[in-house]
Amino acid sequence: MKTSLICGLAGALSLAAMPALAEVESTDPIKLTLHDWTGQLLTTNLMGEVLKKAGYNIDYVQADYIAQFAGLKTGDLHVAMEIWETTGREAMDEATGTGNVQNLGETGMQAIEEWWYPSYMKETCPGLPDWEALNACAEAFSTAETAPMGRYLGGPVTWGGFDDERVEALEMDFEVVHAGTDAALFAELESAYQRKAPIVLWVYAPHWAPTKFDGEFVEFPAYTSECYSDPAWGSNPDMAYDCGKPRGPIWKVAWSGVEDKWPGAHAIIKSFNIDNQEMGDMVAKVDLESEKLDDVVANWMTTNESRWQEWIK
């Protein structure tokens, strides 16, 4: 779902506050990565437009969420605006550990990514949200393709998250089926919810889904770093990932060379901050109200001018 700003809008925003070339450290384009979910496209385009207002040239580059770190380490890619504590922390820590990638701090958004079910499923499986109760009801979540195993609809494979490993480590009677895209994931939720059909799937916040639909996140054993790194931790002495996913901030990261080549942009990216409510509202405008992503970005830029002007001082 690659989205780019329309040429007219991009040109207008780029030229509106373009300073003399001497005011920017380099006219080389700063490459911001785009992924495959609406919120990240919004965050990245917002950041790009703010940087354009400061006079920088911007390129948007489609990249895999986890594999992008290879490009960030070499400087072939420059900025990634959403690294989720829930799924990207290990890759981020490895990259920053090399010294070639910097963590530029929190975006202001707090991440939850976990198994989720509609509340109507508690009539069939009253022990929910406990994961063991879910597992005891696995057949109630089955489909013709997975029966008698339950079906868990995961996110696209590129998102990571260790759901396949989690099912194996906790010896769950579920088969993990990965949605091809973010849009497909939530289209299936919408369809199931309207029919009150059985479903348990990957839901995340900030997003409109936990607000629009009545449901709950499954409660797995609480995450600790040892759960992911030490097989001896937890209920399965031989396997890691026998717990739920971590929760926490959504981070901004950059190639370490950004600080030297574009120090002004580096400071602006560190200043960028937006909260869950803002993001959830914007994602809803794009996904539910069919507004163009470009228009949502332009509206945010207009209504928050005093805010981003502080970032680019």
Side-chain angles (χ1 to χ4, degrees):
M1 191 172 62
K2 183 177 180 180
T3 305
S4 59
L5 295 175
I6 58 176
C7 295
L9 174 61
L13 289 172
S14 297
L15 294 173
M18 181 70 77
L21 292 180
E23 295 184 28
V24 296
E25 307 85 4
S26 172
T27 59
D28 290 346
I30 302 172
K31 297 177 182 178
L32 279 68
T33 60
L34 295 174
H35 304 321
D36 55 357
W37 66 94
T38 304
Q40 195 273 347
L41 297 175
L42 284 162
T43 306
T44 304
N45 277 287
L46 289 173
M47 185 77 267
E49 290 308 312
V50 172
L51 289 170
K52 288 179 185 179
K53 287 290 190 180
Y56 293 97
N57 290 320
I58 300 299
D59 277 350
Y60 296 110
V61 181
Q62 194 75 28
D64 178 273
Y65 175 51
I66 298 298
Q68 70 178 329
F69 282 102
L72 290 166
K73 285 188 283 189
T74 61
D76 293 319
L77 301 172
H78 300 142
V79 179
M81 286 301 297
E82 288 196 14
I83 305 301
W84 290 47
E85 181 79 13
T86 47
T87 52
R89 185 63 195 239
E90 287 187 328
M92 180 176 70
D93 286 348
E94 186 280 328
T96 57
T98 67
N100 296 323
V101 174
Q102 291 182 339
N103 183 335
L104 299 190
E106 300 182 18
T107 60
M109 296 180 287
Q110 294 291 313
I112 302 174
E113 293 187 274
E114 195 55 273
W115 293 35
W116 184 97
Y117 59 89
S119 292
Y120 59 74
M121 289 305 300
K122 295 183 82 167
E123 298 177 11
T124 304
C125 193
L128 291 171
D130 180 73
W131 76 272
E132 291 178 302
L134 172 71
N135 197 40
C137 297
E139 192 165 2
F141 291 87
S142 67
T143 65
E145 293 76 22
T146 67
M149 304 283 282
R151 176 180 180 263
Y152 166 72
L153 182 63
V157 174
T158 56
W159 291 5
F162 303 108
D163 283 318
D164 297 89
E165 292 87 348
R166 183 167 294 104
V167 164
E168 185 177 1
L170 290 172
E171 299 179 344
M172 298 182 71
D173 296 324
F174 275 83
E175 181 176 331
V176 177
V177 177
H178 291 279
T181 65
D182 179 68
L185 181 72
F186 291 107
E188 188 152 346
L189 170 58
E190 180 87 48
S191 174
Y193 199 89
Q194 296 304 324
R195 295 178 288 113
K196 292 194 179 300
I199 191 169
V200 58
L201 75 164
W202 180 321
V203 165
Y204 60 86
H207 195 265
W208 51 262
T211 302
K212 179 178 181 181
F213 301 117
D214 183 24
E216 297 176 315
F217 289 104
V218 175
E219 294 179 358
F220 288 102
Y223 167 83
T224 72
S225 58
E226 292 80 10
C227 172
Y228 276 27
S229 62
D230 182 5
W233 184 96
S235 60
N236 188 329
D238 301 314
M239 297 189 70
Y241 306 108
D242 47 349
C243 63
K245 300 176 186 179
R247 299 184 180 189
I250 299 175
W251 305 93
K252 302 163 288 189
V253 301
W255 168 53
S256 294
V258 170
E259 185 172 16
D260 294 326
K261 187 169 183 177
W262 300 283
H266 184 269
I268 293 167
I269 297 163
K270 290 184 71 173
S271 297
F272 180 95
N273 189 275
I274 195 166
D275 64 28
N276 280 34
Q277 185 65 52
E278 285 182 283
M279 181 52 63
D281 289 346
M282 285 191 287
V283 173
K285 288 182 184 300
V286 175
D287 287 357
L288 300 181
E289 300 172 26
S290 300
E291 291 190 26
K292 292 182 179 179
L293 187 140
D294 308 336
D295 293 340
V296 174
V297 170
N299 182 65
W300 187 94
M301 291 292 292
T302 299
T303 58
N304 291 275
E305 183 172 0
S306 61
R307 183 172 165 192
W308 57 256
Q309 286 284 4
E310 285 294 317
W311 301 345
I312 68 176
K313 277 185 176 180

